[in-house]
Amino acid sequence: MCGGYKFGEVMTHAYNQELVALSLLIATLGAFVALNVVLRIKESLEKNNPLWLLGGAIAMGLGIWSMHFIGMLAMEMPGVTIGYDLGLSILSVVVAIGASLVAFYIVNRVRVSILSLILGGLSMAVAISGMHYIGMASMEMPARIIWRMDLVALSVLIAAMASFAALGVSLLFRTTKRINLLHVFSSLLMGIAVSGMHYTGMAAAEFVYEDKLTPLHKGVVLGTQSVANVVIAATFMILLVALIASGFARVLIRRAKEAREAITSRDILLKEAQQIAQLGSWERSIDGSKISMSEEMYNIYGLEKNTPVNSHSFNEHFAPEDLENIRQAIHNAVESKTSFNFDHAIRLPNGVSKFVQTRGQVVLDEQGKVLKIVGTTQDITDRKEIEKRLLETQAELETRVQQRTADLEQALIREKRAKEQAEDATKAKMNFLANMSHEIRTPMNAILGFADLLGAEKLNAEQEILLARIQNNSTLLLRIIDDILDLSKFEAGKMPIEKSLMPYYSLVEDVTKSLSLLAQKKGITIEVEKTGELPAYIYSDPVRVRQILVNLIGNAVKFSEKGPIQIRVKSERMNGKVRLLTEVQDFGIGISEDGQKQIFQAFGQADSSIIRKFGGTGLGLVLSRHFARALGGNLSLLESTVGVGSTFLFTLTTEAEENLNSANIPTTKKPKPTVTLADFAGQTVRVLLAEDTPDNQILIRAYLNSDNFNVTFANNGFEAVRLATAQEFDLILMDIQMPGLDGLQATTKLREQGYKKPIIALTAHALREEVEKSLEAGCNAHLTKPINKSDLLRAIKDAVEITESP
């Protein structure tokens, strides 16, 4: 008797609920770890995973085995000791693991049919029920087991159905993204299969007491408590290690998946890039028997994808003239182990031609031997077409440029001819004006000269009036000639400007005083107003500035019948320079709007009636504006109203006074005192006068009518040279324009013969160029006709003083 049971009595038992719960947990946890292998399979279907299958089967088998023994521990029979046969216990584990391996192998295939799923469920049922009933058979206790076969069958059915459901859910891992939720659900189903089968099987067993002291099995028998402890500890360790390994594996697989996705993404990008760039890649063996190509290479050559190719079939696409060059380039690359690059034409199977650029290089092994050749081929047909068009466009442009250049050269030739013609016309005009000036000044010299001589005589009042009219009209005629010459010089760009230091405001006052007498005769006053501080000196041309002021103020007096005439002077500073502003306002006849458009045009007058009433040529304002602009300023009409008056503005720009270096800037020469015949008292000056005009001979002889002068005449240049070298003279008065040998030629000849005495040029030419010519020929001074007596005496005195100085 054991535990109070009698022989043949049915033994009662109860379950420890904590251990039952633990058994359920172990079953579910084992299923979770085992089914995790399905995840690995799902994530890597293309690879064989025997280790994963074995690991999952071991985890599943141990989970079933652990659940069984923990469930057996949960069964309590007071006073009864239970042992377990070691051999059968090991066999139960092997059956659980082996059947689980078969089930997982079936569902591991790429395609799983419903039949395969049923077989997988039956395999798991074998694993669960086989392990359970073998484990029950390994029990050592004083009782025998009577089985209810209906419950046994039910337990196997529960194991099969639950396993079928669990494996079916696990297949969804392949198509869904909600893997974790399905993983837990399938693990619960598998846990139900294991625990449901176990406790249904336990319900099918009825334990009948038999008092037997001899063991039922031969071999080692483990005590219930020790086996349970070892199984529980080992199971938890194995499951823990399996979970950790599964976690690591999951990370590694995820990383591998990410790497594959990255490679796939790069492959897609590379493919798209090759399509966009029309660039294909290739690889060939050294002998050309094997050639592999990218998809774009097939597109470039117009071939069906994956069409087998080799060097022989490739050569059919090359033009005969390119084939030998291509072979030589590849041969040289292999021999010298270098890269190659060449352009060539290919012909597609449909007959279309393309241009491609092929680049390649050899691949070496560790010993430096050539393994293969890799490279790229790019479709450059569009580029070649663009290059062709560019060359055509370049040729067309070159043709146009050549044509345009020829047109420009012809235009330049025409422009040069036009310029030469204009220059010739200007030169002819200047020569004409110079000759006209000479022809007018020559008789004018006699008219004004003899008028001056008459003025020195005692005349009655009527004779003085007549003489004054002769002098005034002669002077007006000379001024007209000078204005025309000045205007012509500006048009030819040859107007000389000679700047020096000059007191501007003093010049304004001098001009105003010189014109005040004329204004007073008309009952008009001239008022000068200075605003602010003016520079004491400016750097400009005093002759031209005076000419401008005389013209402006003289016009104001001429065209006014009432006053006053107001002159306002002020200055402005800007950027280190001084800008002088001079306004001349009159209350005269004014200028109409039409007249304002003409006053700065050559020979322009506001009204033709003005010429009849006031005279003038209309050159004064034109020349004054030219002078003002040549000096860095301007002359403009500010306002004018007919019958009210006009206001003109004259501006002049010069350096600020503090910036002027008086040491390097010429100053205005002070006029020398007037020279008379009395200044030659006690002297006898021997003068040779070379002059072909009798009137001028008489006039100059009259100017030098004194015992202090001895004058000898020469009628041309030849006589002048002969007399100068034959006789002794203190100086020569040399007319420039004479028949035969002119004055310049005579002067040059004398200087070449070593003649040292002073020679003063007398000419009717008023141009500066003529003055420079006379000085270059060897003349010491130059006098322009009409010759003023005082100027003549001053020139003679200066020449004699130079001669007498040591």
Side-chain angles (χ1 to χ4, degrees):
M1 181 178 292
C2 180
Y5 294 107
K6 297 178 180 181
F7 182 83
E9 183 182 357
V10 177
M11 302 174 67
T12 62
H13 58 273
Y15 285 98
N16 185 311
Q17 298 301 317
E18 288 81 3
L19 290 178
V20 170
L22 178 61
S23 69
L24 294 175
L25 177 62
I26 291 298
T28 303
L29 186 60
F32 182 88
V33 173
L35 291 176
N36 194 45
V37 72
V38 180
L39 282 177
R40 309 286 78 78
I41 296 171
K42 179 260 179 182
E43 292 172 350
S44 183
L45 283 175
E46 73 280 3
K47 296 181 180 178
N48 187 17
N49 296 285
L51 293 179
W52 284 116
L53 289 175
L54 180 60
I58 291 173
M60 191 71 241
L62 289 176
I64 297 171
W65 193 60
S66 297
M67 183 274 154
H68 172 78
F69 277 99
I70 294 173
M72 294 306 295
L73 277 176
M75 185 180 68
E76 296 177 348
M77 288 183 176
V80 179
T81 302
I82 301 175
Y84 296 93
D85 183 76
L86 179 61
L88 290 176
S89 297
I90 294 174
L91 177 61
S92 68
V93 174
V94 172
V95 170
I97 294 174
S100 298
L101 180 62
V102 172
F104 288 158
Y105 174 77
I106 292 174
V107 298
N108 182 43
R109 290 177 295 180
V110 176
R111 293 182 180 180
V112 180
S113 64
I114 188 68
L115 180 61
S116 299
L117 191 60
I118 293 173
L119 291 175
L122 292 175
S123 296
M124 284 304 303
V126 171
I128 298 170
S129 58
M131 184 276 143
H132 175 78
Y133 289 109
I134 293 173
M136 291 293 290
S138 70
M139 294 177 64
E140 291 286 348
M141 58 182 297
R144 61 183 179 88
I145 302 174
I146 300 176
W147 298 98
R148 289 185 57 182
M149 299 312 294
D150 56 340
L151 292 180
V152 170
L154 178 61
S155 69
V156 175
L157 180 61
I158 290 173
M161 294 299 294
S163 298
F164 175 80
L167 293 176
V169 172
S170 70
L171 289 178
L172 297 177
F173 293 173
R174 303 183 181 185
T175 59
T176 184
K177 295 182 178 179
R178 304 177 66 181
I179 295 177
N180 292 331
L181 181 61
L182 290 177
H183 190 185
V184 172
F185 183 58
S186 63
S187 300
L188 289 174
L189 289 175
M190 190 63 75
I192 291 172
V194 175
S195 57
M197 182 276 152
H198 174 80
Y199 287 108
T200 303
M202 289 302 293
E206 186 176 80
F207 296 93
V208 179
Y209 180 76
E210 290 184 354
D211 188 8
K212 293 182 179 181
L213 299 176
T214 304
L216 296 177
H217 306 96
K218 296 179 179 181
V220 178
V221 177
L222 300 176
T224 301
Q225 190 63 42
S226 60
V227 169
N229 291 337
V230 171
V231 168
I232 292 173
T235 300
F236 270 105
M237 287 296 294
I238 292 173
L239 292 177
L240 180 62
V241 171
L243 284 174
I244 294 173
S246 176
F248 277 114
R250 196 167 186 174
V251 172
L252 293 175
I253 289 177
R254 184 176 68 250
R255 291 182 178 177
K257 179 182 177 183
E258 292 173 352
R260 288 195 300 271
E261 290 176 349
I263 292 172
T264 302
S265 177
R266 285 195 294 269
D267 289 341
I268 293 173
L269 290 176
L270 178 61
K271 181 179 177 181
E272 292 175 348
Q274 287 191 350
Q275 289 176 346
I276 294 172
Q278 294 181 305
L279 177 71
S281 56
W282 51 266
E283 178 181 310
R284 59 164 281 172
S285 59
I286 298 176
D287 59 4
S289 59
K290 295 181 180 179
I291 297 178
S292 61
M293 304 190 304
S294 67
E295 184 175 338
E296 187 59 25
M297 274 291 291
Y298 285 99
N299 294 335
I300 292 174
Y301 277 83
L303 301 174
E304 292 292 333
K305 187 177 179 181
N306 297 326
T307 301
V309 292
N310 52 41
S311 60
H312 178 72
S313 61
F314 243 55
N315 292 342
E316 296 176 355
H317 297 278
F318 302 147
E321 59 271 17
D322 292 331
L323 182 57
E324 184 59 32
N325 294 333
I326 293 172
R327 287 174 175 172
Q328 189 63 42
I330 295 175
H331 175 75
N332 293 339
V334 173
E335 290 295 323
S336 59
K337 300 177 182 179
T338 57
S339 60
F340 56 87
N341 178 10
F342 50 82
D343 296 350
H344 60 96
I346 62 172
R347 183 174 294 276
L348 276 58
N350 60 5
V352 176
S353 295
K354 287 184 178 181
F355 282 98
V356 296
Q357 181 182 65
T358 299
R359 300 171 181 264
Q361 64 181 24
V362 297
V363 178
L364 306 177
D365 60 13
E366 295 180 354
Q367 287 74 35
K369 294 182 179 180
V370 178
L371 291 177
K372 57 185 177 180
I373 306 172
V374 297
T376 61
T377 297
Q378 184 176 19
D379 185 348
I380 59 171
T381 305
D382 293 341
R383 193 185 79 187
K384 287 291 185 179
E385 183 64 26
I386 292 173
E387 290 177 353
K388 179 181 177 182
R389 293 179 181 177
L390 286 175
L391 290 174
E392 292 174 352
T393 303
Q394 181 180 1
E396 182 180 354
L397 286 175
E398 288 178 352
T399 301
R400 290 184 179 181
V401 169
Q402 291 175 356
Q403 183 61 43
R404 183 59 178 164
T405 301
D407 293 342
L408 288 175
E409 289 177 351
Q410 292 298 320
L412 288 174
I413 292 173
R414 290 193 297 270
E415 183 179 351
K416 183 179 179 181
R417 290 174 180 173
K419 182 179 179 182
E420 291 174 350
Q421 291 174 357
E423 290 175 350
D424 292 341
T426 301
K427 185 176 180 180
K429 177 182 176 182
M430 295 297 293
N431 291 334
F432 169 75
L433 292 174
N435 292 331
M436 181 193 71
S437 173
H438 178 272
E439 296 302 324
I440 294 176
R441 285 176 181 274
T442 298
M444 194 59 63
N445 180 58
I447 294 171
L448 288 174
F450 289 124
D452 288 339
L453 292 176
L454 284 175
E457 302 295 331
K458 186 176 181 180
L459 303 174
N460 57 37
E462 183 179 358
Q463 291 173 334
E464 289 180 353
I465 292 173
L466 296 175
L467 182 59
R469 288 193 175 275
I470 293 173
Q471 292 174 324
N472 290 338
N473 284 280
S474 299
T475 302
L476 177 60
L477 181 58
L478 286 175
R479 194 175 75 180
I480 292 173
I481 295 172
D482 290 339
D483 286 348
I484 293 174
L485 286 174
D486 287 341
L487 182 61
S488 299
K489 292 175 184 176
F490 269 113
E491 292 175 349
K494 297 181 179 181
M495 189 64 201
I497 297 295
E498 296 181 2
K499 294 185 177 182
S500 62
L501 280 179
M502 54 169 285
Y504 180 73
Y505 190 69
S506 297
L507 182 60
V508 174
E509 290 180 326
D510 290 344
V511 173
T512 302
K513 289 179 182 178
S514 65
L515 295 172
S516 294
L517 181 60
L518 180 59
Q520 289 173 5
K521 290 181 179 180
K522 301 179 69 173
I524 299 173
T525 60
I526 302 177
E527 300 175 355
V528 180
E529 177 186 350
K530 179 174 69 171
T531 302
E533 184 178 355
L534 299 177
Y537 289 91
I538 66 171
Y539 184 57
S540 191
D541 189 331
V543 175
R544 302 308 178 188
V545 173
R546 175 183 289 275
Q547 197 168 342
I548 295 170
L549 292 173
V550 168
N551 188 277
L552 287 178
I553 301 173
N555 282 348
V557 174
K558 181 168 67 172
F559 295 114
S560 298
E561 297 297 335
K562 60 180 180 178
I565 294 173
Q566 297 179 346
I567 303 172
R568 294 180 289 273
V569 184
K570 64 179 181 179
S571 66
E572 297 175 348
R573 282 183 170 267
M574 54 180 184
N575 300 326
K577 294 184 178 295
V578 174
R579 184 168 177 252
L580 294 169
L581 298 93
T582 304
E583 293 183 7
V584 179
Q585 182 180 12
D586 65 63
F587 296 92
I589 62 174
I591 306 171
S592 65
E593 291 185 4
D594 292 337
Q596 293 177 22
K597 300 176 182 178
Q598 302 179 21
I599 58 173
F600 289 108
Q601 297 179 8
F603 305 103
Q605 288 280 11
D607 191 340
S608 59
S609 61
I610 294 176
I611 299 177
R612 295 191 297 270
K613 182 176 182 180
F614 296 99
T617 61
L619 292 176
L621 288 176
V622 179
L623 283 172
S624 295
R625 171 174 277 187
H626 280 306
F627 292 145
R629 290 178 176 176
L631 295 172
N634 196 17
L635 176 62
S636 60
L637 176 65
L638 287 183
E639 58 179 349
S640 183
T641 305
V642 176
V644 177
S646 304
T647 302
F648 286 86
L649 173 63
F650 165 46
T651 61
L652 189 62
T653 302
T654 182
E655 292 288 338
E657 191 171 8
E658 60 269 18
N659 296 333
L660 296 176
N661 185 356
S662 58
N664 298 328
I665 300 177
T667 58
T668 304
K669 297 180 180 179
K670 296 180 180 179
K672 295 181 179 181
T674 303
V675 178
T676 63
L677 292 172
D679 292 318
F680 295 93
Q683 293 179 282
T684 300
V685 181
R686 293 163 295 181
V687 179
L688 174 60
L689 174 60
E691 173 63 62
D692 64 318
T693 305
D695 290 339
N696 287 331
Q697 291 180 355
I698 296 171
L699 178 61
I700 293 175
R701 183 65 189 88
Y703 282 164
L704 303 179
N705 186 16
S706 169
D707 294 337
N708 303 108
F709 288 92
N710 184 3
V711 181
T712 302
F713 297 104
N715 295 310
N716 52 58
F718 293 110
E719 290 185 11
V721 173
R722 179 176 56 81
L723 291 173
T725 55
Q727 301 181 26
E728 190 71 23
F729 296 99
D730 295 309
L731 60 89
I732 300 175
L733 298 177
M734 182 74 73
D735 183 31
I736 296 304
Q737 191 162 343
M738 293 184 294
L741 190 69
D742 63 27
L744 294 180
Q745 294 171 336
T747 301
T748 301
K749 195 168 185 179
L750 285 170
R751 294 308 186 194
E752 290 175 351
Q753 294 179 6
Y755 191 80
K756 302 295 185 183
K757 295 298 180 69
I759 301 176
I760 299 174
L762 305 179
T763 179
H765 292 293
L767 298 176
R768 181 177 180 82
E769 291 81 358
E770 301 300 326
V771 177
E772 293 174 352
K773 287 180 182 180
S774 63
L775 296 177
E776 290 174 0
C779 296
N780 301 90
H782 185 103
L783 292 177
T784 302
K785 297 177 183 179
I787 297 172
N788 181 274
K789 179 179 178 180
S790 178
D791 293 339
L792 176 63
L793 293 176
R794 163 57 61 189
I796 293 174
K797 184 173 180 58
D798 291 342
V800 172
E801 289 177 352
I802 292 174
T803 305
E804 293 176 350
S805 61

